[in-house]
Amino acid sequence: MGIKHAITRKTFEVTIDGAMKYINKDRETNLLKLVDMAQKIMGGSYPDYVFDNARELFSHPEEKWMQFMYKSLDELDPNIVKMHVLNLGYEAGLAGMKRVKEMREKYQCNVPWAILMDPTSACNLHCTGCWAAEYGNRLNLTFDEMDNLICQGKEMGIYFYMFTGGEPLVRKADLIRLAEKHYDCAFLSFTNGTLVDETFCADLKRVGNLYLAISLEGFAEVNDLRRGEGVYGKVMHAMDLLKQNGLVFGTSICYTSKNIETVTSDEFVDLMIEKGCRYALYFHYMPVGNDASVDLLPAPEQRIYMRSRVR
């Protein structure tokens, strides 16, 4: 991190600390202060309407996105909120994106905003239709290899990293080490959720910049049919622990021809909100892996329904 970058980040951090201190006394005023600071720092990289739109949004506390934000402020650990704004907002969204654009122009090629990597192909579950099982369970990136990838990425302005697998939390000690070393980055790990425990939650709260997307495919009967008996209960317990600790997490949902209506139902979405989920990522089933079934592929009309339903 260059000196100028470090000073700018520190200025932004001080502003966030000040806003967080008084956020519950006057949220609208302090959120607007953050917008003003962001515009001072990054105004030359983005048109004025970007910041004006943010001010307009923050001026309407009854609007759905503001309700989402206020609910997060009420329920999340303050350090998690601060790191989220600093790393996903400032580093990845503002300063990082400016650098990415410069690198795209310099090298005349695409430079991504985020990088996905598989820490391991190993998994503690054996879900039907999972392609990870086809690759074996002994493929791993070392800590140094992942660290080197992130160092190279940051040079190009990439401050957002996603872990897929296998089951990334098989390597959760290394993921925490990476998040701790690269405290200026935002990390998201896809996970089946069964390895989440109190110790891991304490580590997540401490580093503040590693979030989870928990795999789920409906209620217990449907979910456990593919993932194994008792997995749904373990996921619900993991969500409870994460919510109690004020952590950011969401769902990663594989929808099939059989579960598509369930996982998009008001009943299911309301349960996820009640459990503390902040986002939902939907992926359609692909027939690869252990005993894969083409019957689970969503039909064309179901894909059309999914597009309109999610929007």
Side-chain angles (χ1 to χ4, degrees):
M1 184 186 294
I3 295 177
K4 182 179 179 181
H5 186 172
I7 292 173
T8 304
R9 177 187 168 93
K10 188 62 180 179
T11 301
F12 205 68
E13 183 177 355
V14 170
T15 303
I16 293 172
D17 285 337
M20 290 295 295
K21 185 177 180 180
Y22 299 103
I23 198 72
N24 289 321
K25 296 180 180 179
D26 190 344
R27 285 182 172 174
E28 183 180 330
T29 297
N30 285 292
L31 288 170
L32 289 172
K33 285 181 181 178
L34 287 178
V35 178
D36 292 341
M37 174 57 68
Q39 187 168 18
K40 286 180 182 178
I41 295 172
M42 303 301 298
S45 303
Y46 297 89
D48 289 341
Y49 73 79
V50 172
F51 303 99
D52 291 339
N53 287 346
R55 292 187 184 92
E56 176 67 18
L57 175 65
F58 291 164
S59 299
H60 296 280
E62 77 286 350
E63 205 272 346
K64 63 180 179 182
W65 288 110
M66 293 307 298
Q67 291 297 309
F68 176 85
M69 184 183 297
Y70 285 174
K71 183 178 174 69
S72 297
L73 288 170
D74 288 337
E75 296 179 351
L76 294 177
D77 181 84
N79 184 52
I80 300 298
V81 174
K82 174 182 172 179
M83 293 297 286
H84 193 72
V85 175
L86 264 178
N87 292 355
L88 200 57
Y90 169 67
E91 295 286 7
L94 294 175
M97 197 61 213
K98 180 183 179 182
R99 177 72 171 169
V100 164
K101 290 177 179 177
E102 292 171 353
M103 293 297 100
R104 288 173 181 171
E105 184 66 27
K106 179 178 180 179
Y107 294 110
Q108 290 297 298
C109 68
N110 181 54
V111 176
W113 180 68
I115 287 179
L116 282 72
M117 66 178 87
D118 296 350
T120 181
S121 64
C123 185
N124 60 322
L125 299 181
H126 302 281
C127 305
T128 301
C130 177
W131 58 83
E134 292 294 292
Y135 304 150
N137 58 11
R138 295 183 176 86
L139 302 177
N140 292 280
L141 290 172
T142 66
F143 173 85
D144 289 339
E145 286 170 333
M146 291 188 286
D147 176 47
N148 183 260
L149 282 168
I150 295 168
C151 288
Q152 291 185 58
K154 287 161 68 173
E155 287 293 319
M156 295 186 290
I158 305 167
Y159 284 83
F160 187 32
Y161 297 85
M162 297 183 181
F163 300 116
T164 57
E167 170 50 50
L169 295 197
V170 169
R171 301 279 303 282
K172 58 186 176 183
D174 280 337
L175 301 194
I176 291 294
R177 282 180 65 198
L178 287 169
E180 197 165 31
K181 179 176 180 180
H182 299 282
Y183 62 88
D184 51 349
C185 291
F187 298 93
L188 183 142
S189 179
F190 292 91
T191 176
N192 60 43
T194 60
L195 298 177
V196 173
D197 55 23
E198 286 281 10
T199 300
F200 185 56
C201 286
D203 286 335
L204 289 174
K205 186 185 291 189
R206 176 172 52 82
V207 297
N209 60 340
L210 173 58
Y211 323 118
L212 304 182
I214 301 175
S215 299
L216 201 59
E217 291 166 28
F219 298 110
E221 183 178 355
V222 173
N223 185 79
D224 289 2
L225 182 66
R226 210 174 78 106
R227 296 188 168 271
E229 186 176 352
V231 171
Y232 179 83
K234 292 179 180 179
V235 168
M236 294 298 104
H237 177 63
M239 288 184 174
D240 289 341
L241 287 178
L242 292 163
K243 183 178 180 180
Q244 289 164 16
N245 282 277
L247 297 164
V248 173
F249 69 96
T251 54
S252 171
I253 298 170
C254 177
Y255 63 92
T256 71
S257 61
K258 308 299 183 184
N259 75 347
I260 190 168
E261 292 186 3
T262 298
V263 296
T264 59
S265 67
D266 288 343
E267 180 185 9
F268 182 79
V269 174
D270 285 345
L271 175 62
M272 294 303 98
I273 294 170
E274 179 185 333
K275 285 289 181 178
C277 293
R278 307 290 161 185
Y279 43 83
L281 307 172
Y282 284 94
F283 305 91
H284 76 72
Y285 170 83
M286 292 182 282
V288 182
N290 294 343
D291 304 319
S293 170
V294 294
D295 293 338
L296 292 176
L297 269 173
E301 59 271 18
Q302 289 179 313
R303 297 190 190 196
I304 294 171
Y305 157 79
M306 194 65 182
R307 180 188 64 187
S308 60
R309 173 61 173 159
V310 167
R311 289 181 179 177

